[in-house]
C-alpha cells in the first residue's frame, strides 16, 4: 500500500533534539549492526535503483525476445514455456500457464512504475491484438484471478485515470478493451462457483468448457477466499454485482466454518461438505492472502464487515499462532514467531514455516502493527542472509531448510518496501540491497533469472515465474525510487496480492446495485469496527528512537542471527 502512510509527515531531527542525542550515544558505541545498517547514502540508493531497473529489463527483454507469446521464459535454455498439454495433471505448471501470454500481462503496470510509457502502450496493444481467453486451458481460478484479471483491471484503471499519475499514458482509440478482456475472463471463471453446496468455488476451471469432470472437491482457504479485490473492483467498474457477490459469498462461507473455540480457519476445505480436510492454521501457504484480502477489501470498498472479520482473525492469530516474548523490542525470551497450529486445539502441528509467510509483516504494517512487523521481518531477513534466498520451508527447530527451492518469490521484498515506507529507516534499504545482490549472484543466468532448485548448493531450475517481474522487481525498484510518481501522486494506492496497483478511489466505495449481501445473523448495521485503519501516518506509531537507530535493537538482531545459525 502507498498512501495510508504519507511520506512527508515524519519529522526531521534537529541538532539539539533528544533524538539527536540518542544518535550520538550510538555514534560513540557503534556495534557491528549499527555500523552496517544505520546509514544509506543517496548515491548508493541511485545505484541500487539502476540495478533494480536493469534486473527487470534483463528478464523482460529476454522474455519478449525468446518466449513471447508463450506464458513464461525458460531463462537457461532461452525458450518460451506454455502449459504441459501432454500431462494435464502437472498442476505445478498448468495451474498458472493458460496459453495467454501470462508474463506480458502480469508485467504491464511494472512498465509504468519504471516510467516506460512507450513500452507500456506497445505491450497493451500487443495484449489487445494477440491474447484470447477462448482456450482449451484448465487453470487455477486463484492464479488466473490475481495474475491475469488483476493486471488487466489495474492497467485499464491506470490507462483511463484522469489524474495521470504516471504522465499521459492514454492510448488513442482505446475503447476499454482491457476491461472487456477482464470481463470475458471473469465470466469464464464463474463456473467454478456453480454446483458447489457451500458457495466455496472449485479450485480449477477450463476456460472453454467450465469445471472439468474429474475436478476435486477440495480447495485451499487462500485460493477460494482471495478473489474479492479483483472481482469486487470488476463488479464496480461494470455495474454488475455478480462477480463481487460470488467472491463475497465464498469468503463468508469460509468464515462461517472457523473454529468456535479458537476462531481459526484450516488450510484445506471440502467445498461440498464444508469439512476441513487440512486442519493446519498458519499465516503462510494456503492461507496467506485470505487475511490480506479481508483488510484490503475493507480499505478499497469500505465494507465494515470485511474489517470486522480481519480484526477477529488477527486477534485469533495473535492469541494462538504467535510464540515468543510479548514485546518485539523489549524484555527477555525467544524472538516472536508465527507457528502452524491445529485450528481446533491451537496445538503446534509442525516446526516449519514457509517463505510465503514473509508477506505477513507487510500486512501488519498495513494494519498499523508495525512493531510486530519489525520482528517477524528480521527473522526472515536473517534466513535470507544465511542462504542468499528464502527456502520454501524452513524448520526453526532444526535450523535448516525442509524444502530447499526458491522460485524468486517477492514476499520478503514486499514487506521490506512497506516497512521502509512506514519507518523510512535505512536498515530496510540495506535489506533490499542484500536481496538484489543475492539475486544477481545466485539466480542470474544466460537469458534471465532462474528458480533456485537448492538454496544451499545454488543449483537452478529453468523457470522464471511471472511474479518475478510483476512483483519482485517492482518492489525492489520502488524501494530505492523515492521520487516515483506512485509516491508523489495525490492518489492513494494499494497493491493486490500479485503487486498490481489499484487506486483507493471513492468510485469503488459506491455500488450501482441494491445491497445483495444481507447481514449475518446477530449483526446490526450500527456495528462499527474498532479502530479501522485511518489515512493518518504510521510514523506516529513508531517509537521515535526506532526511526533513528536500528528498527530492532542489536541484542535482538544478534539473538535472531544465532537462532538461524548465522554464527
Amino acid at each position: 500500500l502507498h498512501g495510508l502512510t504519507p511520506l512527508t509527515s515524519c519529522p526531521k531531527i534537529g541538532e539539539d533534539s533528544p533524538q539527536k542525542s540518542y544518535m550520538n550515544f550510538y555514534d560513540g558505541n557503534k556495534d557491528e549492526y549499527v555500523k552496517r545498517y544505520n546509514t544509506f547514502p543517496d548515491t548508493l540508493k541511485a545505484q541500487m535503483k539502476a540495478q533494480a531497473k536493469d534486473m527487470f529489463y534483463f528478464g523482460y527483454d529476454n522474455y519478449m525476445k525468446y518466449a513471447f507469446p508463450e506464458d513464461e521464459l525458460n531463462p537457461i535454455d532461452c525458450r518460451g514455456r506454455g502449459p504441459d498439454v501432454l500431462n494435464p495433471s502437472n498442476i505445478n505448471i498448468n495451474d498458472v500457464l493458460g496459453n495467454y501470454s501470462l508474463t506480458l500481462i502480469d508485467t504491464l503496470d511494472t512498465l509504468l512504475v519504471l516510467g516506460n510509457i512507450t513500452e507500456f502502450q506497445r505491450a497493451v496493444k500487443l495484449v489487445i491484438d494477440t491474447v484470447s481467453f477462448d482456450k482449451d486451458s484448465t487453470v487455477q481460478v486463484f492464479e488466473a484471478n490475481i495474475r491475469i484479471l488483476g493486471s488487466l483491471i489495474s492497467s485499464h484503471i491506470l490507462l483511463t485515470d484522469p489524474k495521470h499519475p504516471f504522465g499521459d499514458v492514454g492510448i488513442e482509440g482505446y475503447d476499454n478493451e482491457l476491461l472487456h478482456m477482464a470481463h470475458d475472463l471473469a465470466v469464464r471463471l464463474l463456473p467454478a462457483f456453480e454446483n458447489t453446496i457451500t458457495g466455496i468455488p472449485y479450485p480449477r476451471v477450463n476456460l472453454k468448457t467450465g469445471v472439468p469432470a474429474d475436478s476435486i472437491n477440495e480447495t485451499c482457504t487462500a485460493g477460494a477466499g482471495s478473489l474479492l479485490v479483483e472481482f469486487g473492483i470488476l463488479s464496480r467498474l461494470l455495474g454488475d454485482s455478480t462477480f463481487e457477490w460470488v467472491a463475497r459469498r465464498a469468503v463468508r462461507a469460509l468464515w462461517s466454518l472457523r473454529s468456535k473455540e479458537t476462531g481459526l480457519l484450516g488450510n484445506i476445505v471440502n467445498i461440498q461438505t464444508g469439512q476441513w480436510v487440512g486442519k493446519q492454521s498458519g499465516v503462510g501457504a494456503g492461507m496467506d492472502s485470505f487475511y490480506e484480502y479481508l483488510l484490503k477489501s475493507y480499505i478499497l470498498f469500505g465494507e465494515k464487515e470485511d474489517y470486522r472479520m480481519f480484526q477477529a482473525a488477527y486477534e485469533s492469530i495473535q492469541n494462538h499462532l504467535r510464540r515468543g516474548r510479548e514485546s518485539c523490542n523489549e524484555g527477555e525470551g525467544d524472538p516472536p514467531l508465527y507457528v502452524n497450529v491445529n485450528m481446533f486445539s491451537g496445538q503446534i502441528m509442525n516446526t516449519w514455516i514457509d517463505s510465503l509467510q514473509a508477506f505477513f509483516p507487510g500486512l501488519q504494517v498495513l494494519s498499523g502493527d508495525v512493531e510486530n512487523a519489525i520482528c517477524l521481518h528480521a527473522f526472515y531477513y536473517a534466513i535470507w542472509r544465511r542462504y542468499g534466498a528464502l527456502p520454501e520451508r524452513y524448520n526453526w527447530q532444526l535450523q535448516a531448510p525442509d524444502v530447499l527451492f526458491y522460485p524468486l518469490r517477492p514476499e520478503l521484498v514486499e514487506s521490506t518496501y512497506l516497512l521502509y515506507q512506514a519507518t523510512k529507516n535505512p536498515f530496510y534499504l540495506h535489506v533490499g540491497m542484500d536481496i538484489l545482490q543475492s539475486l544477481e549472484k545466485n539466480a542470474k543466468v544466460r537469458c534471465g533469472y532462474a528458480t533456485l532448485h537448492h538454496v544451499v548448493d545454488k543449483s537452478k531450475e529453468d523457470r522464471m515465474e511471472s511474479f518475478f517481474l510483476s512483483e519482485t522487481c517492482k518492489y525492489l525498484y520502488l524501494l530505492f525510487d523515492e521520487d516515483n510518481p506512485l509516491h508523489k501522486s495525490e492518489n492513494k494506492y494499494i497493491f493486490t496480492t500479485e503487486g498490481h496497483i489499484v487506486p483507493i478511489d471513492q468510485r469503488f466505495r459506491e455500488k450501482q446495485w441494491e445491497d445483495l449481501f444481507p447481514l449475518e445473523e446477530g449483526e446490526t448495521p450500527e456495528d462499527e469496527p474498532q479502530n479501522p485503519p485511518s489515512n493518518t501516518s504510521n510514523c506516529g506509531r513508531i517509537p521515535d528512537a526506532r526511526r533513528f537507530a536500528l528498527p530492532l535493537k542489536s541484542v535482538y538482531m544478534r539473538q535472531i542471527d544465532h537462532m538461524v545459525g548465522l554464527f
Side-chain angles (χ1 to χ4, degrees):
L1 170 94
H2 167 66
L4 289 189
T5 53
L7 304 181
T8 55
S9 52
C10 292
K12 296 274 189 258
I13 304 305
E15 283 299 317
D16 52 357
S17 71
Q19 286 86 2
K20 184 68 183 176
S21 61
Y22 183 95
M23 290 176 75
N24 289 339
F25 169 78
Y26 268 92
D27 286 343
N29 300 273
K30 280 188 177 175
D31 69 11
E32 58 188 301
Y33 292 97
V34 177
K35 281 179 191 167
R36 178 172 178 184
Y37 294 117
N38 77 339
T39 58
F40 202 93
D42 286 345
T43 51
L44 188 56
K45 200 186 294 184
Q47 192 182 327
M48 289 303 108
K49 174 184 161 183
Q51 275 193 27
K53 190 177 207 170
D54 290 346
M55 174 179 282
F56 170 81
Y57 281 117
F58 188 64
Y60 176 78
D61 290 345
N62 279 308
Y63 166 76
M64 294 305 294
K65 182 176 180 181
Y66 295 111
F68 176 80
E70 293 193 71
D71 286 314
E72 282 181 354
L73 170 67
N74 285 359
I76 297 173
D77 281 350
C78 304
R79 289 184 183 172
R81 181 202 291 258
D84 186 352
V85 290
L86 298 177
N87 182 13
S89 64
N90 184 4
I91 59 174
N92 180 43
I93 297 296
N94 294 332
D95 270 359
V96 177
L97 309 187
N99 195 19
Y100 42 29
S101 301
L102 167 69
T103 297
L104 179 63
I105 293 177
D106 209 4
T107 302
L108 290 174
D109 62 332
T110 312
L111 291 165
L112 278 188
V113 165
L114 269 64
N116 196 338
I117 294 172
T118 307
E119 183 60 19
F120 170 75
Q121 293 173 328
R122 186 179 85 93
V124 166
K125 287 175 186 166
L126 265 179
V127 168
I128 292 169
D129 292 343
T130 66
V131 175
S132 164
F133 299 123
D134 191 24
K135 296 278 171 70
D136 183 18
S137 296
T138 298
V139 295
Q140 194 187 74
V141 174
F142 168 75
E143 295 289 2
N145 173 62
I146 66 169
R147 300 201 201 199
I148 301 289
L149 189 67
S151 186
L152 292 171
I153 291 168
S154 168
S155 300
H156 166 76
I157 293 169
L158 294 171
L159 258 176
T160 56
D161 186 346
K163 293 182 181 174
H164 301 306
F166 294 98
D168 187 3
V169 304
I171 296 174
E172 197 173 332
Y174 177 71
D175 191 23
N176 299 333
E177 286 93 344
L178 296 183
L179 181 60
H180 297 319
M181 291 178 74
H183 188 193
D184 176 46
L185 176 59
V187 168
R188 294 172 189 276
L189 299 178
L190 280 180
F193 297 87
E194 297 166 8
N195 303 315
T196 144
I197 295 168
T198 61
I200 300 169
Y202 284 93
R204 295 176 184 86
V205 72
N206 184 289
L207 296 177
K208 213 186 250 289
T209 61
V211 176
D214 60 351
S215 194
I216 58 168
N217 286 321
E218 295 172 6
T219 191
C220 71
T221 302
S226 305
L227 306 169
L228 189 50
V229 166
E230 291 84 0
F231 273 44
I233 293 172
L234 184 64
S235 270
R236 288 161 196 251
L237 286 172
L238 296 171
D240 178 351
S241 65
T242 307
F243 306 102
E244 181 172 347
W245 187 81
V246 294
R248 191 169 288 283
R249 182 180 60 171
V251 170
R252 285 180 168 178
L254 287 163
W255 186 246
S256 71
L257 298 174
R258 70 195 185 280
S259 163
K260 300 296 180 277
E261 287 75 32
T262 64
L264 297 171
L265 292 84
N267 59 340
I268 302 172
V269 69
N270 185 300
I271 65 172
Q272 304 297 357
T273 66
Q275 294 294 306
W276 290 104
V277 181
K279 299 177 178 63
Q280 176 177 300
S281 196
V283 295
M287 303 197 71
D288 47 358
S289 50
F290 175 77
Y291 303 121
E292 179 184 0
Y293 271 21
L294 291 178
L295 182 55
K296 288 184 176 177
S297 52
Y298 168 68
I299 291 167
L300 276 171
F301 307 131
E303 299 283 354
K304 296 182 177 70
E305 174 195 13
D306 297 333
Y307 193 64
R308 275 195 294 272
M309 288 189 282
F310 174 78
Q311 261 194 318
Y314 193 69
E315 191 175 328
S316 296
I317 287 167
Q318 293 297 96
N319 288 340
H320 297 285
L321 272 58
R322 190 182 184 279
R323 299 290 194 275
R325 64 177 175 271
E326 189 175 333
S327 172
C328 171
N329 251 310
E330 301 293 338
E332 301 292 323
D334 292 331
L337 191 64
Y338 293 82
V339 299
N340 299 316
V341 304
N342 181 292
M343 64 174 288
F344 295 110
S345 68
Q347 296 298 306
I348 292 183
M349 287 187 71
N350 50 55
T351 57
W352 53 260
I353 51 176
D354 61 67
S355 63
L356 288 170
Q357 199 197 59
F359 97 98
F360 199 64
L363 185 61
Q364 291 179 308
V365 168
L366 203 55
S367 73
D369 190 1
V370 181
E371 282 289 288
N372 269 311
I374 285 168
C375 255
L376 185 59
H377 174 275
F379 179 71
Y380 273 95
Y381 174 48
I383 299 171
W384 184 284
R385 280 172 53 222
R386 181 170 175 193
Y387 299 107
L390 275 188
E392 193 71 350
R393 281 186 191 169
Y394 176 81
N395 192 310
W396 44 267
Q397 190 172 60
L398 301 177
Q399 294 188 1
D402 272 354
V403 178
L404 287 148
F405 70 90
Y406 169 66
L408 312 177
R409 289 201 191 279
E411 283 75 16
L412 179 60
V413 70
E414 175 188 3
S415 289
T416 304
Y417 166 70
L418 290 168
L419 272 162
Y420 182 65
Q421 291 302 311
T423 66
K424 291 299 177 184
N425 194 300
F427 171 79
Y428 296 107
L429 298 174
H430 284 279
V431 175
M433 182 169 71
D434 279 1
I435 292 170
L436 189 54
Q437 291 177 337
S438 298
L439 290 168
E440 281 291 321
K441 179 182 173 186
N442 299 324
K444 192 172 187 177
V445 292
R446 189 158 59 116
C447 292
Y449 295 82
T451 291
L452 290 186
H453 175 71
H454 195 298
V455 296
V456 180
D457 69 21
K458 307 298 187 286
S459 55
K460 296 169 183 64
E461 290 179 24
D462 197 6
R463 186 174 192 187
M464 188 178 82
E465 294 229 35
S466 67
F467 53 64
F468 175 69
L469 297 179
S470 82
E471 296 185 81
T472 309
C473 292
K474 180 186 283 153
Y475 288 126
L476 279 169
Y477 182 80
L478 283 171
L479 176 65
F480 297 111
D481 186 17
E482 299 272 359
D483 297 323
N484 195 276
L486 197 66
H487 299 144
K488 300 291 187 183
S489 170
E490 293 174 13
N491 278 15
K492 296 178 171 67
Y493 293 90
I494 203 160
F495 295 96
T496 71
T497 196
E498 185 73 9
H500 297 305
I501 301 163
V502 181
I504 300 168
D505 193 313
Q506 187 57 39
R507 64 183 159 151
F508 300 141
R509 291 176 167 245
E510 294 160 358
K511 286 180 274 199
Q512 295 149 292
W513 55 83
E514 291 298 311
D515 196 339
L516 301 177
F517 314 127
L519 289 166
E520 288 185 355
E521 195 176 335
E523 285 185 357
T524 63
E526 292 76 34
D527 285 347
E528 289 287 331
Q530 298 299 306
N531 306 318
S534 68
N535 285 348
T536 57
S537 168
N538 264 339
C539 294
R541 298 195 181 103
I542 316 279
D544 279 343
R546 203 88 72 253
R547 276 186 242 138
F548 316 116
L550 294 173
L552 186 61
K553 290 174 185 171
S554 294
V555 61
Y556 296 131
M557 288 188 68
R558 194 170 287 110
Q559 180 191 31
I560 289 175
D561 285 354
H562 183 71
M563 182 179 167
V564 303
L566 270 169
F567 60 83

